[in-house]
Amino acid sequence: QVQLAESGGGSVQAGGSLRLSCVTSTYTVSTKYMAWFRQAPGKEREGVAGICTGSEVYADSVKGRFTISQDNAQNTVYLQMNSLQPDDTAMYYCATIISLSKCRGLDRRFVGYWGQGTQVTVSS
């Protein structure tokens, strides 16, 4: 199966920034539809951002604050998170979306592979 490894999480004050990374050695990210999801304890897992063949898509809650990007040479997907708020506190997961037609929806029902997650905690 595809293996994904997230890193870069941590604890920050409200208004701070973090950059998450997702690395894979099992495929080239340019051939996949990559996304980030997040899940707070006791809450549903929700889509945050995705790259759909060069087109970025974001959840309304993070639009303007988060930026997804990829480095094809390093086989890495990034999530730059700025102006973090306490409501952003969650476990963040890297994922692949099963098809281009489903990519922009950021729907967990159409995820092919998940990473193990990296924790982001934002305090006030």
Side-chain angles (χ1 to χ4, degrees):
Q1 66 176 15
V2 172
Q3 296 186 25
L4 307 170
E6 304 99 329
S7 63
S11 182
V12 299
Q13 293 277 84
S17 298
L18 287 171
R19 192 186 199 193
L20 307 184
S21 299
C22 173
V23 180
T24 179
S25 60
T26 57
Y27 66 92
T28 55
V29 295
S30 62
T31 67
K32 302 293 182 181
Y33 315 116
M34 307 300 300
W36 289 92
F37 289 72
R38 68 185 182 186
Q39 186 171 26
K43 304 292 185 180
E44 298 285 330
R45 189 173 298 187
E46 296 192 70
V48 175
I51 298 180
C52 309
T53 316
S55 179
E56 301 171 5
V57 59
Y58 298 94
D60 289 343
S61 60
V62 307
K63 192 174 182 64
R65 300 187 297 119
F66 291 11
T67 303
I68 187 171
S69 62
Q70 65 184 42
D71 183 334
N72 294 334
Q74 298 297 316
N75 241 19
T76 303
V77 178
Y78 301 98
L79 185 67
Q80 178 67 46
M81 305 186 295
N82 298 326
S83 301
L84 284 162
Q85 303 166 7
D87 285 349
D88 296 317
T89 295
M91 186 74 75
Y92 283 71
Y93 299 90
C94 183
T96 63
I97 306 297
I98 60 173
S99 70
L100 178 60
S101 66
K102 302 298 184 182
C103 183
R104 296 192 65 81
L106 295 175
D107 191 327
R108 67 177 183 170
R109 295 176 297 173
F110 303 112
V111 166
Y113 296 94
W114 296 100
Q116 292 298 109
T118 185
Q119 179 68 40
V120 171
T121 302
V122 184
S123 62
S124 60

Short mmCIF file of all heavy atoms in Angstrom, two decimals, residues 4-27:
data_model
loop_
_atom_site.label_atom_id
_atom_site.label_comp_id
_atom_site.label_asym_id
_atom_site.label_seq_id
_atom_site.Cartn_x
_atom_site.Cartn_y
_atom_site.Cartn_z
N LEU A 4 2.40 7.13 3.78
CA LEU A 4 2.52 8.57 3.94
C LEU A 4 3.02 8.86 5.35
O LEU A 4 2.60 8.21 6.31
CB LEU A 4 1.17 9.26 3.73
CG LEU A 4 0.42 8.95 2.43
CD1 LEU A 4 -0.98 9.51 2.49
CD2 LEU A 4 1.18 9.52 1.24
N ALA A 5 3.89 9.85 5.49
CA ALA A 5 4.46 10.20 6.78
C ALA A 5 4.37 11.70 7.00
O ALA A 5 5.06 12.47 6.33
CB ALA A 5 5.91 9.73 6.87
N GLU A 6 3.54 12.12 7.97
CA GLU A 6 3.39 13.53 8.30
C GLU A 6 4.37 13.95 9.39
O GLU A 6 4.75 13.14 10.24
CB GLU A 6 1.97 13.84 8.79
CG GLU A 6 0.86 13.44 7.84
CD GLU A 6 0.22 12.13 8.22
OE1 GLU A 6 0.93 11.26 8.78
OE2 GLU A 6 -0.99 11.96 7.96
N SER A 7 4.72 15.23 9.38
CA SER A 7 5.54 15.81 10.43
C SER A 7 5.28 17.31 10.47
O SER A 7 4.64 17.86 9.59
CB SER A 7 7.03 15.54 10.20
OG SER A 7 7.47 16.13 8.99
N GLY A 8 5.78 17.97 11.51
CA GLY A 8 5.70 19.41 11.61
C GLY A 8 4.68 19.94 12.59
O GLY A 8 4.59 21.15 12.79
N GLY A 9 3.90 19.07 13.21
CA GLY A 9 2.94 19.51 14.19
C GLY A 9 3.61 20.00 15.46
O GLY A 9 4.81 19.83 15.67
N GLY A 10 2.81 20.62 16.32
CA GLY A 10 3.33 21.13 17.57
C GLY A 10 2.30 21.98 18.27
O GLY A 10 1.13 22.00 17.89
N SER A 11 2.74 22.68 19.30
CA SER A 11 1.89 23.55 20.09
C SER A 11 2.30 25.00 19.89
O SER A 11 3.48 25.34 20.01
CB SER A 11 2.00 23.17 21.57
OG SER A 11 1.14 23.98 22.36
N VAL A 12 1.33 25.85 19.54
CA VAL A 12 1.59 27.26 19.30
C VAL A 12 0.51 28.12 19.92
O VAL A 12 -0.58 27.64 20.24
CB VAL A 12 1.69 27.58 17.79
CG1 VAL A 12 2.83 26.81 17.14
CG2 VAL A 12 0.36 27.27 17.09
N GLN A 13 0.83 29.39 20.09
CA GLN A 13 -0.15 30.37 20.54
C GLN A 13 -1.04 30.81 19.39
O GLN A 13 -0.64 30.74 18.22
CB GLN A 13 0.56 31.60 21.12
CG GLN A 13 1.32 31.35 22.41
CD GLN A 13 0.42 31.41 23.61
OE1 GLN A 13 -0.23 30.43 23.97
NE2 GLN A 13 0.38 32.57 24.25
N ALA A 14 -2.24 31.25 19.70
CA ALA A 14 -3.12 31.80 18.68
C ALA A 14 -2.41 32.91 17.92
O ALA A 14 -1.73 33.75 18.51
CB ALA A 14 -4.40 32.33 19.32
N GLY A 15 -2.57 32.89 16.60
CA GLY A 15 -1.89 33.83 15.74
C GLY A 15 -0.58 33.33 15.18
O GLY A 15 -0.01 33.96 14.28
N GLY A 16 -0.09 32.21 15.69
CA GLY A 16 1.17 31.65 15.24
C GLY A 16 1.03 30.85 13.97
O GLY A 16 -0.05 30.72 13.39
N SER A 17 2.16 30.26 13.54
CA SER A 17 2.22 29.52 12.28
C SER A 17 2.92 28.18 12.47
O SER A 17 3.79 28.03 13.34
CB SER A 17 2.99 30.32 11.22
OG SER A 17 2.34 31.53 10.91
N LEU A 18 2.55 27.23 11.64
CA LEU A 18 3.21 25.94 11.55
C LEU A 18 3.22 25.51 10.09
O LEU A 18 2.34 25.90 9.32
CB LEU A 18 2.51 24.86 12.37
CG LEU A 18 2.63 24.91 13.89
CD1 LEU A 18 1.67 23.89 14.50
CD2 LEU A 18 4.05 24.63 14.33
N ARG A 19 4.20 24.69 9.72
CA ARG A 19 4.25 24.10 8.39
C ARG A 19 4.31 22.59 8.51
O ARG A 19 5.28 22.05 9.05
CB ARG A 19 5.45 24.60 7.59
CG ARG A 19 5.38 24.25 6.11
CD ARG A 19 6.65 24.62 5.37
NE ARG A 19 6.42 24.70 3.93
CZ ARG A 19 7.38 24.77 3.02
NH1 ARG A 19 8.65 24.78 3.39
NH2 ARG A 19 7.08 24.84 1.73
N LEU A 20 3.29 21.92 8.02
CA LEU A 20 3.24 20.47 8.04
C LEU A 20 3.81 19.91 6.74
O LEU A 20 3.68 20.51 5.68
CB LEU A 20 1.79 19.99 8.19
CG LEU A 20 1.00 20.56 9.36
CD1 LEU A 20 -0.38 19.90 9.41
CD2 LEU A 20 1.74 20.37 10.68
N SER A 21 4.44 18.74 6.85
CA SER A 21 5.00 18.06 5.69
C SER A 21 4.46 16.65 5.60
O SER A 21 4.19 16.01 6.63
CB SER A 21 6.53 17.99 5.78
OG SER A 21 7.10 19.28 5.81
N CYS A 22 4.31 16.17 4.39
CA CYS A 22 3.88 14.80 4.12
C CYS A 22 4.80 14.22 3.08
O CYS A 22 4.85 14.72 1.95
CB CYS A 22 2.43 14.79 3.64
SG CYS A 22 1.83 13.17 3.09
N VAL A 23 5.53 13.18 3.45
CA VAL A 23 6.55 12.58 2.58
C VAL A 23 6.15 11.16 2.24
O VAL A 23 5.68 10.41 3.10
CB VAL A 23 7.93 12.59 3.24
CG1 VAL A 23 8.97 11.96 2.32
CG2 VAL A 23 8.34 14.01 3.60
N THR A 24 6.37 10.78 0.99
CA THR A 24 6.16 9.39 0.58
C THR A 24 7.33 8.95 -0.28
O THR A 24 7.88 9.73 -1.06
CB THR A 24 4.85 9.20 -0.18
OG1 THR A 24 4.73 7.83 -0.57
CG2 THR A 24 4.79 10.07 -1.43
N SER A 25 7.71 7.71 -0.12
CA SER A 25 8.75 7.12 -0.96
C SER A 25 8.19 6.03 -1.87
O SER A 25 8.96 5.37 -2.58
CB SER A 25 9.87 6.55 -0.11
OG SER A 25 9.40 5.54 0.76
N THR A 26 6.88 5.83 -1.85
CA THR A 26 6.26 4.74 -2.59
C THR A 26 5.65 5.16 -3.92
O THR A 26 5.25 4.30 -4.70
CB THR A 26 5.17 4.06 -1.74
OG1 THR A 26 4.20 5.02 -1.34
CG2 THR A 26 5.78 3.42 -0.49
N TYR A 27 5.58 6.44 -4.19
CA TYR A 27 5.04 6.95 -5.44
C TYR A 27 5.48 8.39 -5.62
O TYR A 27 5.96 9.02 -4.69
CB TYR A 27 3.51 6.84 -5.48
CG TYR A 27 2.82 7.72 -4.47
CD1 TYR A 27 2.40 9.01 -4.81
CD2 TYR A 27 2.56 7.26 -3.19
CE1 TYR A 27 1.77 9.81 -3.89
CE2 TYR A 27 1.93 8.06 -2.26
CZ TYR A 27 1.53 9.34 -2.62
OH TYR A 27 0.91 10.13 -1.70
#
